[in-house]
Amino acid sequence: MVGGAPRGAAHGAADGRSAPVTGTAAGIPFVALPPATGAHPAPLVLGLHAFEPPRGEAALAGTVPMASLPAWRVYPGLPLFGARLPEGGVREIARRGESDYLMELFGPVVEGAAAELSRLVAELRALFPVTDDPVGLVGVGAGASAALLTLAEGDLPVGATALVNPVADPAPVLAARERHHGTPYAWTGDSIAVRERFDFTDRAADVARGRVPTLIVSGGRDDVLPPGHGRDLYEALRAEFLGTADREDREGPAEPEEQGKRSGQGAGWLRRRARRARRDAPVPVSPEGTNHVLRHIVIPDLAHAIGPEPGLEPGPLTPGGVLADRALTEWFHRHVTASAQVRAGYGGDLPPGGGPRTAVPSP
């Protein structure tokens, strides 16, 4: 056993077979898809699943396989999901969600997933022929929250990221749960602080600290996080990428404490409102623009859940899911690093049309 995964399975993929590899590394179950280019050392792209379908590693691997990428695509299971369900199983997960979705379920899973990524990557590099290039990072729903937390606070080198229906702020998810259950969420000082930590639109300066190329994909049929939420995140990151975010936008006046507790908005609500008001104002743009490092796209047929229930195994592909997979594949084709380590695996020459490509401006 290497990293908890069968040694023979890993070797089989490394010898050129394209079958998925399942195993465990750093105590985390995963599904790995070998690179399209075969046995040579290749970069690593991690995919973090959602709470909704696809809510498991195998399901996400089937939904966004990015099959033509010359990279290992590894899909780890999130904490408290799949093989890591707590004692009491699905019933216990439901209890935590009903008791306090933010504090007992969403927060611990997102924080735990982000915290274990560096350890996971170290073990995957010992298990597979993975280069030491910065990793690619895909997140869907709450998995995107873990990706954003990694960008904002983590030490894992990330070369590019793609976020599908990202929960850039948990408040809209809590509002959707309020509408569904008919019970208002009971905000406290602690939960407001947690919400503000996970409000990545408001924390755009932290998320953008490494200027990591970022693709944001919003679903036109997402009734929990409509495309405007993805657009707000894009605009906030764009201001940071271009250096046009001002002091008022970052700090803003504080909101009265009691009003903040009722709404869960905290002190950041005026900053978000001001940012939305200025969203369509002209912004100085460099001659190259930002499309090659930061993009927001809307896929009209994509819903909040990008796969079918129950969401633990691959299901029938939807038109929206196919388009999302295509967008992610192209993004990482542009930003997977063609490092000396990769070139050495090909004797110094990348295969025509098959190797990693450097970033170029989007039309």
Side-chain angles (χ1 to χ4, degrees):
M1 305 285 282
V2 177
R7 183 182 291 268
H11 284 185
D15 288 340
R17 292 192 299 207
S18 59
V21 180
T22 59
T24 303
I28 303 164
F30 67 82
V31 173
L33 303 181
T37 47
H40 300 284
L44 174 64
V45 177
L46 297 174
L48 305 177
H49 64 78
F51 283 13
E52 304 80 18
R55 57 168 59 94
E57 55 270 28
L60 185 59
T63 303
V64 286
M66 299 174 282
S68 67
L69 275 187
W72 283 95
R73 288 94 66 217
V74 177
Y75 304 82
L78 294 183
L80 301 182
F81 278 76
R84 295 198 283 173
L85 280 171
E87 185 176 352
V90 174
R91 187 185 300 274
E92 171 60 13
I93 291 296
R95 186 202 65 77
R96 295 186 188 194
E98 293 172 4
S99 173
D100 193 324
Y101 181 85
L102 180 60
M103 301 295 285
E104 296 187 28
L105 189 58
F106 181 88
V109 170
V110 170
E111 183 174 26
E116 64 191 16
L117 284 182
S118 291
R119 186 172 74 255
L120 171 65
V121 169
E123 293 211 12
L124 289 173
R125 283 183 170 139
L127 182 59
F128 299 112
V130 171
T131 68
D132 57 7
D133 298 306
V135 304
L137 198 52
V138 174
V140 181
S145 303
L148 286 163
L149 186 61
T150 299
L151 296 181
E153 299 181 6
D155 57 5
L156 177 68
V158 178
T161 189
L163 313 169
V164 182
N165 291 340
V167 183
D169 175 0
V173 177
L174 293 169
R177 290 179 61 84
E178 288 179 341
R179 293 192 297 271
H180 180 74
H181 295 289
T183 304
Y185 182 75
W187 289 97
T188 66
D190 287 344
S191 60
I192 289 174
V194 169
R195 180 269 172 109
E196 289 184 343
R197 184 188 178 197
F198 294 144
D199 183 350
F200 297 108
T201 302
D202 199 49
R203 296 188 63 193
D206 297 326
V207 175
R209 62 187 175 133
R211 299 299 189 268
V212 174
T214 300
L215 171 67
I216 302 166
V217 180
S218 294
R221 293 175 50 218
D222 190 337
D223 56 355
V224 177
L225 298 163
H229 291 278
R231 185 71 180 181
D232 285 345
L233 177 62
Y234 166 81
E235 292 292 351
L237 291 175
R238 183 170 180 262
E240 297 295 339
F241 274 51
L242 295 173
T244 58
D246 57 34
R247 183 177 179 84
E248 179 184 355
D249 190 44
R250 292 178 183 172
E251 297 183 0
E255 179 189 48
E257 181 179 1
E258 289 307 313
Q259 183 179 351
K261 286 186 178 180
R262 288 195 301 272
S263 65
Q265 290 174 323
W269 77 283
L270 286 177
R271 296 196 292 277
R272 291 188 293 275
R273 187 174 66 181
R275 187 159 47 236
R276 284 192 290 270
R278 296 197 302 271
R279 187 168 64 190
D280 297 326
V283 178
V285 179
S286 66
E288 296 81 13
T290 58
N291 275 352
H292 62 301
V293 293
L294 181 66
R295 295 193 71 183
H296 175 236
I297 64 173
V298 177
I299 297 178
D301 290 336
L302 193 66
H304 183 65
I306 69 172
E309 291 286 2
L312 299 176
E313 298 294 335
L317 296 179
T318 65
V322 170
L323 291 177
D325 178 62
R326 184 181 303 171
L328 269 57
T329 302
E330 175 60 23
W331 188 252
F332 287 107
H333 263 304
R334 290 179 179 272
H335 294 287
V336 167
T337 304
S339 68
Q341 195 175 358
V342 174
R343 292 181 183 278
Y346 292 102
D349 295 316
L350 292 175
R357 292 179 275 173
T358 56
V360 295
S362 298

